Amino acid sequence: MKKEFGARQLRRLALRRTAGRRSRQRRRKAETSGPKARGRLDWLGLMVVSLPGLAALAALLFTWMQVGQANKQLRISEQGQITNRFNAAVTNLGSASVDVRLGGVYGLERIMQDSVRDHPTVVSVLTAYVRRHAPLPEAGARKQQTASPAVSLPTDIEAAMGVLAKRPLAVETFVLDVNRTDLRGLRSGHGGSRFAGMIFQEADLTGANLNGADLSSADLTRTVLRSSSLAGARLSVASLTDADLTGANLNKAELTSADLTDARLTGAELNGAVLGSAILKRTTFRTANLNGADLTGADLSGANLSGARLTYANLAVADLTGADLTEADLTGADLTGAILTDARLTGAKLKGVRGLPPSQR
């Protein structure tokens, strides 16, 4: 009996083990064929497919970092080269040879064109060079003896002024100062030359050619511009106080709101010039040509216009208080609204004048 009982237990145990194995096999089969299993397989497949793309992205990132580092090194190298070029150019400026100095000037011009950050430094060096190598004599421009207005400017100074006239930047926050310099015969005034805001105070520009140049807001206080050519130049809001423009050519020049107080323009040519709202107090225009000039609203109080030609000039609303118009030619001029208190018109030609009160005729 005991043997039969033991055999039955062994059979039951064997059956349980077989059933357990079958149950585990069924669970494994279910796990490998169910949604979770399919999800794992899909994720694994996605990872396998994405590996080449991830590798490419890593390679791209590495390349970008290398390019960035290379660009940084290139900028450092370029700055070093510009520094070396700048030092070489400045060294050349100190040479005894004019040819070497010219190389220095044009070397600085290239640096100014290539490097915006070095623009102010180059301008500072060139203006200092002009002040040092073209100084005005202690006697001053007005006492300086000029045998002829056709004086030639030294080649290196001419080149330096030419470089300054062709500066690439349109907006600047620094000042260009060439005050008290001898710039007689300057020929940098080819159309488009930029001297706007430049300080020429007390400089000698006798016989200079500044045709079409931009001198707006420039400081030309007490500057000598005898026999200079400023035809078509822009001088709006410029300061020409006490300047000497005797015999200068200012035909069609733009002088709106310019200050020419006490300036001398004896015999000057201002045909078609624009002087609207200009300050012309005590300015001398004796025998000057102002035919067709626009002097609308200009302050000409105390101005000397004796013998001046003002045919068809526009003097509407101008202040001519105490002005001397003796023997001036005002044929066809417009004096509408002009202030003529104490103005002298003895011998003046008044044919066709508009706006002149009968008492002044």
Side-chain angles (χ1 to χ4, degrees), residues 16 37 62 79 170 322 329:
R16 287 175 186 162
F62 180 72
Q79 288 302 315
D329 187 351

Side-chain angles (χ1 to χ4, degrees), residues 347-361:
K349 296 178 182 179
L350 303 172
K351 183 179 179 180
V353 173
R354 289 171 289 165
L356 185 66
S359 60
Q360 296 283 350
R361 293 181 181 273

